[in-house]
RNA sequence: GGCGAGGUAGCUCAGUUGGCAGAGCACGCGACUGAAAAUCGCGGUGUCGACAGUUCGAUUCUGUCCCUCGCCA
């Protein structure tokens, strides 16, 4: 029988981490972070990693485990996450997946098999992109893999290049072997989503960005920059805006703060769209005073855990 | 008070030699298989400051008024 897995998803700043602690204690769960940036060490403030005292109450996995000078890929995250889930399950406890990285979540709980990658092929396609433009490469994709071409917009150079890379490496269409509209879990899965009004999310984001700046985000970002962050680590919200500001010059503190807030709001919207599309998610009101009890009951009933 | 500039989308502004008003941002919605906190797609916004005049037709031309900013007094 498939292992039981509990999950708590939702957009940034909705309040997942906090409620997850109490829920985890109640159902003897350990938390597996599903977050593409909290996995990096040294990005404590900007990625809003759960504080030490929370982590002492409940074991957390995939938080501050990876050196920011290294790139992270979905495939690696999938392997690490699966290992954590297996480990927790073997010890007789319940994995509680908590996070908002949509693709990473699906990579963990579904049978997604990521085709290989090759830097040299990628580099050549990037050169061609430079020369011919995205539209030309999209046209090529329509010939090689019509199904993929209809699902990737002609302007989306990144995904077009990736599709062509996979076709070249595997000799098979990019669209082969999976159906992204199916949401088949490999675990016995209970997914709760945390809901909050847009206005509340936005207000919480603004407050949190202020708190991060007060807590020394600028210094943390400078230290990270000096250590040579990988391409994936440096694009984390907050850090990215700080680096752009220092490179292109003159942004006032106020403008910088506004840029971070704006980018984070956009991100929250994308996250909501992602999880709204997932039929497995059962939604809960984050403001409900009874939220913790409801979540505990939901996981107990669905997974039949103590 | 005088002179100058300006009042167009929630914001910043473009524009119409007079013919159903448009960009960016914001906002909303969506897509998503080794960069995903990435990348990309779709969408609506309006008494064109007010009133009058000229005109088949005025946001555009004319007049008066109101408001904002700057300089001078």
């Amino acid at each position: 029988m498939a292992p039981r897995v509990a999950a708590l998803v939702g957009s940034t700043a909705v309040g997942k981490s906090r409620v997850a602690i109490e829920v985890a204690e109640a159902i003897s769960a350990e938390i597996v972070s599903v977050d593409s940036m909290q996995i990096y060490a040294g990005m404590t403030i900007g990625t809003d990693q759960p504080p030490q005292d929370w982590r002492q109450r409940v074991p957390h996995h995939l938080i501050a485990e990876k050196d920011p000078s290294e790139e992270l890929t979905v495939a690696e995250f999938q392997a690490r996450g699966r290992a954590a889930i297996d480990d927790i399950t073997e010890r007789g406890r319940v994995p509680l997946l908590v996070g908002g990285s949509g693709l990473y979540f699906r990579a963990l709980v579904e049978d997604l098999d990521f085709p290989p990658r090759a830097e040299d092929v990628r580099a050549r396609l990037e050169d061609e992109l430079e020369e011919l433009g995205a539209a030309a490469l999209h046209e090529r994709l329509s010939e090689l893999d019509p199904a993929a071409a209809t699902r990737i917009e002609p302007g989306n150079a990144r995904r077009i290049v990736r599709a062509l890379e996979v076709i070249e490496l595997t000799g098979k269409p990019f669209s082969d072997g999976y159906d992204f509209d199916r949401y088949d879990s490999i675990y016995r899965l209970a997914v709760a989503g945390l809901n909050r009004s847009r206005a509340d999310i936005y207000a919480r984001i603004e407050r949190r960005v202020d708190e991060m700046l007060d807590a020394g985000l600028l210094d943390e970002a400078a230290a990270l920059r000096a250590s040579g962050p990988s391409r994936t680590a440096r694009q984390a919200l907050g850090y990215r805006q700080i680096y752009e500001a220092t490179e292109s010059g003159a942004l006032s503190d106020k403008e910088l703060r506004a840029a971070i807030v704006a980018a984070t709001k956009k991100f929250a919207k994308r996250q909501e769209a992602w999880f709204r599309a997932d039929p497995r998610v059962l939604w809960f009101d984050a403001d409900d005073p009874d939220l913790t009890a409801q979540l505990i009951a939901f996981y107990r009933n669905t997974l039949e855990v103590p």
Side-chain angles (χ1 to χ4, degrees), chain A residues 1-7 77-86 89 95 97 103-114 182-191 278 280 303:
Chain A
M1 185 154 185
R4 303 170 222 267
V5 170
F77 188 87
Q78 182 183 51
R80 283 172 172 261
R82 294 263 174 85
I85 290 170
D86 290 348
T89 305
L97 276 40
L103 176 62
Y104 285 22
F105 173 68
R106 295 194 67 175
L108 288 191
V109 303
E110 291 167 37
D111 186 24
L112 294 186
D113 192 17
F114 295 93
R182 265 202 340 245
Y183 288 86
D184 293 339
S185 318
I186 59 174
Y187 301 112
R188 185 167 170 191
L189 188 67
V191 191
D278 190 330
R280 293 166 298 196
L303 300 176

